[in-house]
């Protein structure tokens, strides 16, 4: 029974990681490319780490908490790094494939900033 649970976690982790990697390659601009790896890959690596924790907890005498610490570190650092990368992109005014709201465009024009495409 435990092997089926491990197989399901490994397959779902691999699937989420693949979807995140595919999103990184296929999305049109920086902001949407940032979304795929941070969300899907975090879930994928989290599933793989939970599978590893279950495997080593059932094979050895005690519980294996190394993977829990790695998972917590990943769940804390991935959103923070994605937020910092997106703020840097906004600061550098990287173009986006999505139109900006009219209020933002008017504010930029009033401030004398260049329009985005």
């Amino acid at each position: 029974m435990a092997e089926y649970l491990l197989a399901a976690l490994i397959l779902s982790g691999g699937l989420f990681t693949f979807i995140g990697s595919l999103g990184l390659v296929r999305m049109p601009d920086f902001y949407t490319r940032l979304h795929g790896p941070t969300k899907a890959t975090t879930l994928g690596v989290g599933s793989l780490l939970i599978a590893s924790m279950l495997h080593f907890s059932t094979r050895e005498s005690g519980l294996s908490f190394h993977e829990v610490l790695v998972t917590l570190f990943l769940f804390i650092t991935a959103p923070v790094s994605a937020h910092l990368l997106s703020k840097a992109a906004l600061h550098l005014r990287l173009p986006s494939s999505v139109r900006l709201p009219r209020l933002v465009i008017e504010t930029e024009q009033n401030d004398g900033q260049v329009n985005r495409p």
Side-chain angles (χ1 to χ4, degrees), residues 33-106:
R33 282 185 196 144
L34 190 62
H35 186 72
T38 56
K39 303 293 186 241
T41 306
T42 301
L43 287 174
V45 173
S47 294
L48 292 173
L49 288 171
I50 290 171
S52 175
M53 182 184 74
L54 289 176
H55 174 73
F56 287 111
S57 293
T58 57
R59 301 285 175 179
E60 297 176 1
S61 61
L63 292 175
S64 175
F65 287 109
H66 300 100
E67 291 86 358
V68 174
L69 293 176
V70 172
T71 304
L72 286 176
F73 181 75
L74 180 72
F75 283 179
I76 292 171
T77 57
V80 172
S81 64
H83 178 73
L84 291 176
L85 284 171
S86 63
K87 282 191 75 160
L90 284 173
H91 181 72
L92 294 173
R93 299 189 181 280
L94 290 181
S96 174
S97 60
V98 178
R99 290 188 69 141
L100 292 175
R102 186 183 329 166
L103 180 63
V104 173
I105 294 172
E106 290 172 359

